[in-house]
Each structure stands twice: as structure tokens, then as C-alpha cells.
Amino acid sequence: MKTILFHRHNPLHFHFVSDIPAKHILGTLMNTWQLPAVNFSFYDTEPLEERISWIPSFHYSGVYGLMKLVAPQVFPWSIESIIMLDTDVMLNSDIALLWHFFVDIKERRKLLGIVENQSNWYLGSLWENHHPWPAVGRGFNTGVVLLNLEEMRRQGWDSMWSGVARMHANPAALADQDVVNAVIKEYPHIHLILPCGWNVQLGDNSRSEFCYQNGESFHIIHWNSPNKMNVEKNNGAYFRLMYNGFVQYDGNLLRRELITCSSFENNVARGQSPNQTRDACSAFRNVAKLQLRTHPFFIGNIISKPNAVTLISQLSMDRLQMLEPLCRYWKGPMSVSVYASDSETIKLSNYVTRHECFQQRNDISLHIVYPESSNLYPVNYLRNVALDHLTTKYALLLDIDFIPMVDLHDYLLEATRVLGAEKRALVVPAFETHLYRLDFPQSKPALLEMLEAGSIKPFRYNEWPKGHAPTNYQHWKTASRPYRVNWAPDFEPYVVLQWPFARYDTRFVGFGWNKVSHITELHHAGYEFVVLPEAFVIHMPHSPSLDISNFRSSSLYRDCLQVLKREFQETLKLKYSFGHS
């Protein structure tokens, strides 16, 4: 996607043929990316599967590798031409140059434009008893195909390919590519051969180096080996450098406007005069208004576990080391937003790959939120992103620097079964330690011993006691049953809630009132707070964040927080129609 956008000079329309989870992921990414002069549409794969699932194939892409065959029926008849790309290709030129070949294709009434295959696969000489589908010479590669949909419909493409496919009993080892080659063998005048540089194939048996060594420019790189970017042949190391460069390239830079006659006027209309008076707290307000580029499920899959409690959290990359302990101690699903730049996503991927805990789990979802120019951490925006991808009825709202007690998930699951209610917040008491190496308590009695010894204390007992005072730690020590507590201003416990519930207010960024505002709204929405007698989480020590340092050192930061707090309270008055703050 980045390589297409980087090289383009024209408006684009992306057509994604995808399943429902991919639509959710790509739709979120495209909507939040806010790319100028880019449109996109989705086409569900499910109704297409029955049209092609009868074709035997053992290609690793499964039924999805056959989707190109039904392209004329997938897209609206108003779309007469389309470039079909596999997802493992990388552009090195403006894709509009490839589009120009449609002039020749249409004049000659060809059905498709395609590049020759760059391996000996269809010659049947790669190994003994290799019997590929029929093809003309080395055949053609369908990773990049120009489809003249209008002509395909006119000439009866659907009957062509289905009739040819039914003539062959062998599984289609290369998915749609086998079928397309068999059709070209049967109907040898339906295609236009494109220059090989428009599909430089890096397969394990490819001879693609002869393409660009003969002076042919390489416009599209195709990682068509099952090993993808780890292929060791055909100058793979060189092309990997290109690939990694685009992985790390800041995608926000691709929001640049295309040069048009109206661009200058539009920019002036949107801009502000340099002499325009600025709000002293504009930095805070501007961050709250941002729609940040978001890639949900960057790691992990959409898995529904109705009978579970999902841990909701967020982190910046300087807290990455806290993710693995949470993976070990929390046995339920996790939905975590990660505030990371494009280049930092490599570090995140390597971290997850390196730690065995993540490899053993399929219920941990990490969502990337890419930073903008502000230095203020959009903590509540991140929390909302994690909430947006909640797939369970209940959620534990927790910060990343806490470790839950052993088997907390199972305890909470039982608690929600007994106590769960629409307007009830189950409070998980929070504690802290200043010891970097802690013999983590395995039970409440063990925790009480450590409390007595002073190695553990109620969370922020000295710095901000009012934040957790309503939890009533003294009562909790001896409690054996859940007990109700009253809300108080500045209360900010960690709670389990039944979805749906109020989202976090994104005007609170950085340090201060980001959790308090949420708990305050729950109170005004009519929630009761019930403390769980056998549950606990422990805050682990770490260096202070940049935001808390700014809060302590900047009077403007503290003043703006008070302004935002008053505005939030006014919002609550209007929303819940009460007459006092």
C-alpha cells in the first residue's frame, strides 16, 4: 500500500476483495489514514467462494487464491478495467504507467494483460514426475494482471475458465494461475504480454534476474515465494532493503495533497492567519481532535470468546517490556493499543516473536496507533481504540504497568457471573511496590503479609490518596464478601464493566484526569461501585513518563488541565441533566 501511494501522481480507487475481518481491519486503517484523492470499496469473499471452491487446489492461499477468476462478476458493471494485484507485491513506479497499457489492450480487444512466468514451473522440469497444468511455454504469472472487464464479460470469460478448469482433475497447485494459463493455452489470443519489469518474481525457482539485467526497469517486485521476504535468491537482500525502507517510512507523509489547480485555494481556505489569536491550551485541544492513523489487529486475530473478560490497556514503546509479564499472568483475552511509529513496528514484531508467551496465545490483539506531531500522549484515544475491538461482554480496564494476581481472569469471570450488571463497576483494588525484583504474592494472605512488612502499599498512597481512598483498603483486608462503596471526586479505580459503557473522553491527554474523568462519567450515568474482596493488581516501578514530568514542571500544563476539567464537568451537566459539579 505504501509503495503504491509513494509513487502515485493521480487519484486512486482501491477495491479490496476481502473477508469480514480483513474488511474491518483495512476499513479502519483507510478511514483513519485520511489519504487525499483516495477512495476504497470492499467486496465480500463469502458469496464468491461457492463459485470457485469446487476447483481442487493445495495452494497455501486456499480458496482466496482463486478469486481473480470471478472478477468480472465481483465488480460493478460500471467498472470496465481494473488492475489486480496480489498482496505480496511492491511498487517501484507510478502505477498509472501500468494503467496506460489498457489503451493497447482495449484497441486489440484483449481480455487481459499479463507478464510471463519467470521460472520453469510450467515446463515440468523442476523435479521428476512434475505434471503442471498446461501453459504456453513458461506460462504467465497472475500476481499482476490487467483485466479488461468489459471485454471479459462480452466474450464470456466465466464460461471459458470454468469449462477449461473442469477438463483437469489435477489440483491447481498455483491456484488461479494454473487456471488462467490453461485458458490461455486453449484461447491463445486473449492476452497482451506485458514487459517483465511489471512483475519481477522472487520465487524460489525464479530466473527474474535475467529480466532486469537485460536493461528492463523493475516496476513491481513480487515476493511470490512461500518464504516471502525471507527468500534468499534473486538479489533478495537488495529488495529486502527496499521493503524494510517502506515498512519504516512514515505513512503520515503519504497524506500529501496531489498538485491540482484548486490545491492552493483549498490550502488557503483551511489555513489560519499567522496573526490569528491562539488559545493558550490549543496544543491539548488539537490532540483531542486528531483522528490518528490506526491499524487494528496489527498482531493477533479477531477471535470471539463470549465467556471471557478482556483486559483493555495501552502503551507507548518505552513501556514495551511490560507487555510480556502481563501475557504470562493474565490468562484471558487482551486488547492493547500500542502508540508506535512505522519504524517502531519492527521492534514490536520482533519483541512478540522473541517471547514464547505470545506464540502460545491466540487471544492477544495489538493495535497500532501511529503518532502525529504532538508530544502529548493521547492516552484516552488509545484506550478507546482498544475498546473498539472488544469481543467479549466484560472488560477489565487496566494500565500496562500493573500485574494481575494469579488466576485473576477466572476469579473475575465468576464475579461477573454472580455480580455482573449493566450499571455496576466491579473494583479491583490496586497496590504498588517500589521493588524492581518482587516475589509476587500468589494469594491475598501473602499480599497482606507484604502489606504488613511494608514492601507493598495501596496504590499512590502517598502521592494521590484520594484516587483510591473510596476503595476502603482497611475494610478490604478482612472482607470476605463484595462490598459497595460510594463514589467520590477524583476516584480512579481499575474496574470491570459490562459492555457497552461510556468511552473515554479524548480531551484528556498526557498526565492527569484521564481515568478520573471516565469514572466520574460512570458515576453520573448511574453506576454503583462494588469492591471485589479477593482480587488485586500490583503496580510495578518504572521511570516517570515525559507527561508527568511536564505536568510537574509546567504551570501552563496544570492550568490547561483545570480548564479541560471544568469544560468536561459542563459537558456532563448537559449530558446527564444535573445541576451541580
Side-chain angles (χ1 to χ4, degrees), residues 264 382 398:
F264 177 75
L382 292 165
L398 191 67

Side-chain angles (χ1 to χ4, degrees), residues 75 150 186 194 199 241 264 266 289 294 296 309 313 333-334 365 401-402 432 479 508 513 518 538 546-547:
F75 304 110
E150 184 179 32
E186 189 75 15
L194 302 176
N199 186 352
L241 287 175
F264 177 75
N266 291 339
K289 295 174 184 176
T294 302
V309 179
S313 195
M334 293 168 56
S365 303
D401 45 9
F402 280 82
E432 69 178 5
F508 295 102
W513 248 68
H518 189 240
I538 299 178
L546 177 62
D547 287 303

Side-chain angles (χ1 to χ4, degrees), residues 299 320 322-328 334 348 351-364 366:
I299 291 173
L320 183 59
M322 296 179 170
L323 196 55
E324 193 270 339
L326 206 54
C327 172
R328 285 189 286 109
M334 293 168 56
L348 175 63
Y351 177 87
V352 169
T353 302
R354 191 169 65 248
H355 290 285
E356 186 178 352
C357 179
F358 296 104
Q359 310 309 312
Q360 297 173 343
R361 303 278 298 271
N362 67 353
D363 56 357
I364 296 178
L366 305 182

